[in-house]
Amino acid sequence: MNNPSQNTVKQGLLFTIDKILFKLEHTLNLLGGIAIFGALLLGVLHVSLRFFLDSQVRGYVDWMEQFMVVFGFLGLAYAQRTDGHIRMDIVIKKMKGRLLYAVEFITTMLASVLMFALTIGAYKHFERSFVRGDSTLDIEIQLWYAKVLVVISFSFISLRLIVQLCAFARLVLHPQSDPIAIPERLSDEITVSKTNDQ
């Protein structure tokens, strides 16, 4: 028989880790949003200079490449936590209870393995760029700045997937427990489904 106090401690630890990680993910997502705004301002400045003064922002393409890395990758973990990405869940939507949690656990494990491999690959790219001093073609911005952001982003989404893996394992073992640290939309669906079953 399960020890209720022990189960509460596990839930509390998972909940705390999820909250801390979500705050960090939210910060990274905010930085990505600021980068989008910065890219927008730079684009407006570039077009305005070309239209009014027949001039341009020096290294505009190089700067935009760097901005795209920031807003393209920093929000990945946040999107995973809030379920802001596209999920092909036509079959999974019909599942409930332990079967649903087991399938989510397996798919999350596969995603974790993939992200772990991608993080290692991204780190190797960053390391090569840092050692060789790779830079952009026009104004020679160092490329390792952008590449280290990819490593950071991939590390955060890998952490998020590991936390979700623990959360789904917990639900497989204790299907009646409240969902913690799983994608928000799925959490809402599980809560509504449990409410309807009662």
Side-chain angles (χ1 to χ4, degrees):
M1 192 166 174
N2 292 330
N3 185 345
S5 62
Q6 199 175 28
N7 197 29
T8 306
V9 170
K10 287 179 185 174
Q11 287 180 19
L13 179 62
L14 191 62
F15 182 76
T16 304
I17 292 170
D18 177 54
K19 270 187 86 170
I20 293 167
L21 188 56
F22 186 62
K23 283 180 182 177
L24 294 170
E25 290 164 349
H26 193 278
T27 303
L28 289 177
N29 192 55
L30 180 62
L31 291 174
I34 292 168
I36 292 173
F37 185 65
L40 177 69
L41 291 178
L42 189 65
V44 169
L45 178 63
H46 183 68
V47 171
S48 300
L49 285 173
R50 288 178 69 89
F51 186 78
F52 293 110
L53 302 173
D54 196 24
S55 182
Q56 61 182 347
V57 173
R58 187 168 173 269
Y60 173 73
V61 173
D62 291 4
W63 285 113
M64 289 305 292
E65 285 173 355
Q66 306 312 302
F67 274 122
M68 285 198 301
V69 171
V70 178
F71 62 72
F73 287 95
L74 285 189
L76 286 176
Y78 181 84
Q80 176 66 26
R81 174 62 177 87
T82 57
D83 217 0
H85 56 84
I86 298 170
R87 281 171 52 107
M88 300 299 290
D89 55 0
I90 298 168
V91 176
I92 293 176
K93 271 198 169 203
K94 298 178 192 276
M95 298 177 184
K96 285 186 178 181
R98 190 169 265 146
L99 176 62
L100 171 65
Y101 308 142
V103 170
E104 289 286 358
F105 177 83
I106 292 166
T107 56
T108 304
M109 184 187 290
L110 293 172
S112 301
V113 171
L114 175 64
M115 283 312 307
F116 183 70
L118 287 173
T119 305
I120 291 171
Y123 178 78
K124 287 180 179 176
H125 278 294
F126 153 70
E127 192 176 36
R128 275 196 301 269
S129 181
F130 185 77
V131 171
R132 292 178 185 171
D134 292 345
S135 60
T136 57
L137 293 174
D138 190 7
I139 57 172
E140 299 184 346
I141 302 170
Q142 292 292 305
L143 290 177
W144 69 265
Y145 297 117
K147 290 184 178 181
V148 77
L149 285 177
V150 175
V151 175
I152 291 167
S153 302
F154 282 2
S155 298
F156 269 96
I157 195 168
S158 297
L159 282 172
R160 169 52 60 193
L161 288 168
I162 290 166
V163 169
Q164 287 185 357
L165 202 60
C166 295
F168 286 123
R170 173 181 162 271
L171 287 171
V172 168
L173 295 172
H174 309 286
Q176 298 308 314
S177 299
D178 293 330
I180 294 171
I182 64 173
E184 287 180 1
R185 186 172 54 186
L186 182 60
S187 177
D188 293 341
E189 287 172 5
I190 291 169
T191 304
V192 168
S193 176
K194 283 183 179 179
T195 304
N196 292 338
D197 290 344
Q198 287 175 355

